[in-house]
Amino acid sequence: MNLADLHAVDWRDPVMGFALFGSRARGDEDADSDYDILVWSQGEQPYTVRLGMHAMAVYPCDYLLRKAEQGDLFASHLVHEAKEIWDPHFLLKTLQARFSPKQSYGREIELAAQIGEFVLKFHHRMPSALINRRIAWVVRTILIASAMDIGVPVFSTRELISLLDAPDAAQLIALKDDTEFLPDSLIGLHSFLSRWTAPWQQAASTIDEFRQLFQVSGNDFGLQTIKSLRNSTDATDYR
């Protein structure tokens, strides 16, 4: 896909720029890696568009700039690894100038750990591919946040594992592309959480209790995970 193809997409709102991020921007992609493309939008809500191997994350300009000022992890990805495709308004440079890292990324680790605990308890209600994607996301998010806490913004699996001495994480992160559920992955996730997060002390053991926990803590990705469960219309738990 070239620049003309990107402009030809029927976007919901006016587009102000494009940038490449993710593995293909870092240079550690493989043949099956998606092309992750940031789309600067004048709209009001983020959304995604997928065209073949192109995964396009559409974000309002003001939203991203605000996230940069808050030290958001996704904004950190863009600041440190994104490469301009078409940016006539210098939005990427503005994002980089406004980025202010947090003093601590403990909250990001806590929210990811909540989702990890949810997966351990309710994997039997989740499609196999979803289990794998969530495990990979939880592990990678916790490592990225841990790296940010020591002031080293790295995002590739290889660099994270080397920096933080976490060799067991490689297999868990690699699950994101697998569709087959392997019970050993839950053992690996439990071991990872035991090493990298505080002991689980939340009073949440049913789906409804997790939903309340996610709502109170502002864990939107956790709420999305509940909505993705099989038979999630009621989503009361069966102990």
Side-chain angles (χ1 to χ4, degrees):
M1 179 176 286
N2 57 35
L3 184 56
D5 294 327
L6 287 172
H7 279 292
V9 174
D10 185 17
W11 304 107
R12 297 180 193 174
D13 306 294
V15 167
M16 300 181 66
F18 303 103
L20 180 70
F21 69 98
S23 62
R24 291 193 180 270
R26 291 191 300 268
D28 62 347
E29 77 278 5
D30 57 38
D32 297 322
S33 296
D34 288 337
Y35 290 83
D36 295 303
I37 298 174
L38 171 71
V39 183
W40 299 89
S41 164
Q42 291 184 7
E44 296 183 359
Q45 295 294 329
Y47 65 96
T48 59
V49 175
R50 177 171 285 277
L51 295 174
M53 294 182 66
H54 294 78
M56 290 169 280
V58 187
Y59 280 87
C61 296
D62 291 343
Y63 176 93
L64 274 184
L65 293 173
R66 184 168 64 252
K67 288 293 185 181
E69 292 168 349
Q70 295 169 352
D72 178 78
L73 278 184
F74 179 60
S76 180
H77 273 273
L78 302 176
V79 164
H80 293 102
E81 72 179 16
K83 298 185 182 303
E84 172 188 330
I85 297 175
W86 177 72
D87 189 10
H89 303 285
F90 305 104
L91 294 169
L92 188 56
K93 286 187 172 66
T94 303
L95 191 77
Q96 293 166 341
R98 292 199 187 182
F99 183 77
S100 177
K102 296 182 178 182
Q103 291 185 345
S104 169
Y105 285 84
R107 171 175 164 76
E108 284 74 10
I109 293 173
E110 178 185 352
L111 296 184
Q114 289 177 1
I115 296 174
E117 293 293 340
F118 182 86
V119 171
L120 290 175
K121 288 180 170 61
F122 297 106
H123 58 89
H124 59 284
R125 294 280 301 276
M126 303 169 68
S128 295
L130 179 62
I131 297 171
N132 291 339
R133 289 197 304 271
R134 287 300 185 268
I135 290 175
W137 182 89
V138 165
V139 170
R140 189 161 179 264
T141 297
I142 289 173
L143 292 182
I144 290 171
S146 298
M148 290 292 290
D149 264 344
I150 61 174
V152 186
V154 295
F155 306 96
S156 75
T157 299
R158 178 181 57 80
E159 290 180 311
L160 287 167
I161 287 170
S162 175
L163 173 70
L164 299 171
D165 188 23
D168 295 343
Q171 188 172 2
L172 297 174
I173 295 174
L175 289 171
K176 67 182 179 65
D177 298 318
D178 289 347
T179 57
E180 180 183 0
F181 167 63
L182 300 175
D184 284 352
S185 64
L186 296 176
I187 298 173
L189 175 61
H190 181 271
S191 176
F192 177 86
L193 293 176
S194 297
R195 176 184 175 187
W196 289 96
T197 67
W200 180 252
Q201 297 178 341
Q202 301 284 356
S205 58
T206 69
I207 290 176
D208 282 339
E209 288 170 351
F210 268 98
R211 182 191 291 107
Q212 183 176 10
L213 171 64
F214 292 156
Q215 289 172 338
V216 170
S217 59
N219 195 336
D220 293 336
F221 202 46
L223 292 172
Q224 290 178 28
T225 303
I226 289 179
K227 290 180 181 178
S228 301
L229 295 179
R230 296 190 184 100
N231 304 318
S232 62
T233 51
D234 178 23
T236 52
D237 178 42
Y238 313 101
R239 289 177 183 264

